Amino acid sequence: MEPSLQRSMLITWFKDTTVLGMDEGKLIIGLPLPMFLNWHLQHYKEQTLKAAQELDSAINQIVYHVDLSLQGDETRTVDILSLFPEKKSRKLPGKLEMSVGSEGLLGRMFNPRYTLDTFVVGTCNRLAHAAAQASASQPGGKYNPLFIYGGVGLGKTHLLQGVGHAFHQANPRSLVLYTTSEEFTNQVIEAIRHQKIESLRKKYREVDMLIIDDIQFFASKERTQEEFFHTFNTLLEARKQIVVSSDRPPRELHDVLQDRLRSRFERGMIADVAEPDYETRLAILMDRAKEYEIFFDQKVLAFIAEHVKDSVRSLEGILMQAVAQYELEQRVPTIQLITEIMCKLSHDVHEENEEMRAVGFELPVKRAPRFEDLLEGVSSYYSISIQDITGTSRLREIMVPRQVAMYLGKKYLRMSLSQLGERFSGRDHSTVIHSIRKVEKRIQDDPLLLREVRAIEREVGILE
Ligand code: ADP
Ligand code: MG
């Protein structure tokens, strides 16, 4: 395989992957998505073990652990790549090439890609972006402190680091500190334990710009907030810029932040980032697609933009999967491939872990059906009773509709295979898989069956 392909595969499958720890010779590696597991087991396990052993000969086993919270968590992403020193080329796209503290930029998470210039502006984030720009160019001015809030994957971290980059670029001798509320909390706790609180205070009070991400995770520990409050006031008095982010506005943080902190934020500049509209989603996709050395048809990008609405992170996830498919199986990104990826991701979401709903992929359907709707659709299309469909008869005229019903159930319902099996007279998960596979396979070379399935989908109102 070409080295450039290998490199981008590495980036794809190692995104948000990290070393979680060591346990008696076991190196525990965290993967952000269940679907990474197979790839790692099949393609990287041996290589990873070898590389790890070169670093530490005591390591004798690689254990994988899927941890959804790793998604987009750059604080923990860097480590794993260091296992592959020869692959850690300077040419890696910015995503993983964390500049670990170029002089003056303090904090582990300065991602070179997160600049204000690469941030796509739309109505959903215009104010936040403008405020970010103003904070960088007139720090300590009207927009101090700057408070940016919004849901997951909507660009808060990107904007925060963008402010830091822009300010630092204009003032190369300045000190910019980026941290998360969790890291800050840990530092305070550590400092207290080791009686180093003075030096911690000093470190924070010397900076020219303080950026704290995700302050909703601030521990409501008296001491942490006390430290933060003093640092915060000292910096504000010295007219140093402070930028923070949170998943909600200050007024909704009363269970997390002390009142005086909250009200201080309320008197500063507050801007939200909302879900991007269609045009912004498309513009982001076009930007991101350019970074990969693959041609994406405009129609394909438009299709993704139309169907994935909840967050920029989800958009990027789909694009990344398409790139992986291209690299691993030479599959050109078509609308069909994208649909498959969306179904697969959304299937995994339901199958593997309820929490992954947070990833929020939308199936390209007009309306999400209920189980009963599907059954009724199948029943009226084939003119057989619902009892027969869910029953145990092994007549072919009934088995095929039953398989189709299971197939549709898997495709459109938020149900695991075992849950689905229960609705069909308690069939187990492997029987359900078997039936579904049959339909999937037959649809490929039997246009008649495909037409039947489409007709039912239309009848139930899933498709146009
Ligand atoms: P948050 O911190 O709000 O959870 P991030 O800043 O981590 O979200 O954004 C998730 C991903 O989406 C990042 O890769 C980021 O670069 C990208 N992103 C989000 N919003 C935009 C935007 N408006 N333009 C370009 N990229 C964006
Ligand atoms: Mg973030």
Side-chain angles (χ1 to χ4, degrees):
M1 195 183 294
E2 272 180 53
S4 70
L5 272 191
Q6 269 186 8
R7 203 180 60 231
S8 34
M9 264 172 57
L10 203 67
I11 294 163
T12 308
W13 292 107
F14 280 77
K15 186 175 190 294
D16 298 337
T17 294
T18 192
V19 173
L20 290 177
M22 274 262 274
D23 182 16
E24 294 182 355
K26 278 188 226 156
L27 183 70
I28 304 160
I29 294 190
L31 304 173
L33 288 168
M35 78 187 72
F36 276 40
L37 188 58
N38 262 343
W39 281 114
H40 276 261
L41 289 174
Q42 282 173 23
H43 301 283
Y44 296 124
K45 193 170 177 185
E46 248 172 70
Q47 219 182 333
T48 309
L49 180 60
K50 252 207 237 138
Q53 282 170 335
E54 275 169 30
L55 297 175
D56 184 349
S57 57
I59 296 173
N60 54 33
Q61 199 186 347
I62 301 286
V63 181
Y64 291 104
H65 178 84
V66 177
D67 180 351
L68 303 170
S69 73
L70 289 172
Q71 285 175 64
D73 185 354
E74 283 88 355
T75 36
R76 296 199 278 174
T77 307
V78 208
D79 308 341
I80 189 83
L81 276 193
S82 61
L83 285 177
F84 296 89
E86 75 276 18
K87 303 261 168 58
K88 202 179 161 192
S89 130
R90 289 248 86 223
K91 289 196 217 85
L92 286 177
K95 227 182 328 172
L96 287 176
E97 190 197 332
M98 304 302 157
S99 66
V100 188
S102 66
E103 211 51 47
L105 286 180
L106 309 175
R108 284 181 296 147
M109 277 183 53
F110 270 105
N111 183 335
R113 192 171 64 74
Y114 290 173
T115 65
L116 295 182
D117 301 337
T118 58
F119 191 82
V120 176
V121 181
T123 38
C124 53
N125 55 30
R126 180 158 291 136
L127 179 65
H129 183 258
Q133 269 178 329
S135 303
S137 58
Q138 299 140 41
K142 273 202 305 245
Y143 300 130
N144 200 23
L146 170 60
F147 190 107
I148 291 178
Y149 73 91
V152 180
L154 297 179
K156 300 182 297 296
T157 299
H158 188 138
L159 273 179
L160 256 57
Q161 298 199 11
V163 179
H165 279 300
F167 171 72
H168 189 257
Q169 213 163 28
N171 308 274
R173 298 168 73 113
S174 62
L175 277 182
V176 182
L177 177 59
Y178 170 95
T179 188
T180 61
S181 57
E182 286 163 303
E183 205 171 76
F184 182 85
T185 303
N186 289 340
Q187 285 175 357
V188 172
I189 293 168
E190 278 298 292
I192 294 172
R193 268 185 54 202
H194 297 105
Q195 284 146 18
K196 293 227 168 90
I197 202 80
E198 266 316 311
S199 63
L200 185 71
R201 277 183 195 158
K202 191 156 170 288
K203 169 179 157 190
Y204 274 88
R205 289 172 196 183
E206 268 176 2
V207 302
D208 298 300
M209 179 178 278
L210 177 63
I211 307 174
I212 303 198
D213 211 349
D214 289 325
I215 64 164
Q216 71 274 16
F217 297 126
F218 242 132
S220 45
K221 299 215 171 31
E222 289 280 311
R223 188 64 195 268
T224 310
Q225 297 223 0
E226 202 59 34
E227 282 309 317
F228 180 63
F229 189 67
H230 286 300
T231 301
F232 186 75
N233 279 338
T234 313
L235 290 175
L236 283 184
E237 270 163 30
R239 302 184 65 86
K240 302 286 166 67
Q241 181 69 39
I242 291 172
V243 189
V244 302
S245 80
S246 160
D247 65 349
R248 45 208 132 126
R251 69 186 131 77
E252 287 171 30
L253 281 170
H254 40 78
D255 51 341
V256 182
L257 290 188
Q258 292 167 357
D259 287 349
R260 51 188 183 162
L261 255 175
R262 249 180 344 105
S263 70
R264 191 62 197 82
F265 282 124
E266 271 173 354
R267 279 180 279 134
M269 172 70 192
I270 303 174
D272 74 321
V273 284
E275 276 135 34
D277 52 27
Y278 173 78
E279 287 73 20
T280 313
R281 295 198 295 270
L282 187 59
I284 291 173
L285 283 169
M286 281 159 64
D287 267 16
R288 299 291 282 132
K290 260 192 254 150
E291 283 175 35
Y292 300 105
E293 288 156 19
I294 299 178
F295 176 72
F296 277 91
D297 194 310
Q298 190 69 21
K299 273 199 223 122
V300 171
L301 295 181
F303 180 81
I304 305 177
E306 223 167 275
H307 295 296
V308 182
K309 300 182 180 160
D310 62 330
S311 92
V312 181
R313 193 167 290 153
S314 312
L315 286 175
E316 290 184 341
I318 302 261
L319 210 58
M320 209 173 83
Q321 292 297 321
V323 171
Q325 288 281 326
Y326 175 78
E327 289 168 345
L328 300 168
E329 296 176 26
Q330 282 73 51
R331 294 187 65 186
V332 174
T334 57
I335 289 186
Q336 188 200 354
L337 175 66
I338 299 295
T339 313
E340 266 173 45
I341 292 174
M342 289 197 283
C343 291
K344 167 90 177 65
L345 288 175
S346 132
H347 173 68
D348 281 353
V349 170
H350 313 141
E351 190 66 10
E352 309 281 350
N353 195 323
E354 285 291 308
E355 275 173 48
M356 278 192 53
R357 273 191 205 181
V359 180
F361 292 99
E362 275 206 10
L363 287 170
V365 298
K366 214 171 90 184
R367 177 173 83 79
R370 295 171 311 147
F371 179 68
E372 290 70 24
D373 301 341
L374 291 179
L375 279 185
E376 250 163 48
V378 174
S379 155
S380 68
Y381 187 85
Y382 291 106
S383 308
I384 56 171
S385 73
I386 288 180
Q387 282 84 343
D388 277 341
I389 297 173
T390 57
T392 53
S393 161
R394 303 192 56 81
L395 285 175
R396 195 185 143 74
E397 303 84 84
I398 291 174
M399 294 230 322
V400 173
R402 182 181 302 139
Q403 288 163 354
V404 168
M406 289 182 185
Y407 165 83
L408 291 171
K410 179 210 150 203
K411 191 163 165 195
Y412 294 111
L413 300 175
R414 299 190 159 209
M415 267 189 197
S416 73
L417 294 178
S418 340
Q419 282 169 334
L420 204 54
E422 265 162 40
R423 311 295 282 265
F424 289 87
S425 310
R427 285 177 169 78
D428 70 8
H429 143 278
S430 59
T431 316
V432 178
I433 282 208
H434 181 73
S435 304
I436 291 169
R437 291 266 155 79
K438 250 194 170 146
V439 177
E440 282 175 346
K441 195 153 172 297
R442 268 190 61 203
I443 276 185
Q444 308 269 338
D445 35 43
D446 181 354
L448 206 65
L449 183 64
L450 179 64
R451 218 176 304 150
E452 287 178 15
V453 170
R454 290 285 173 271
I456 297 167
E457 286 173 332
R458 267 193 298 277
E459 167 130 1
V460 180
I462 305 170
L463 296 182
E464 301 278 349

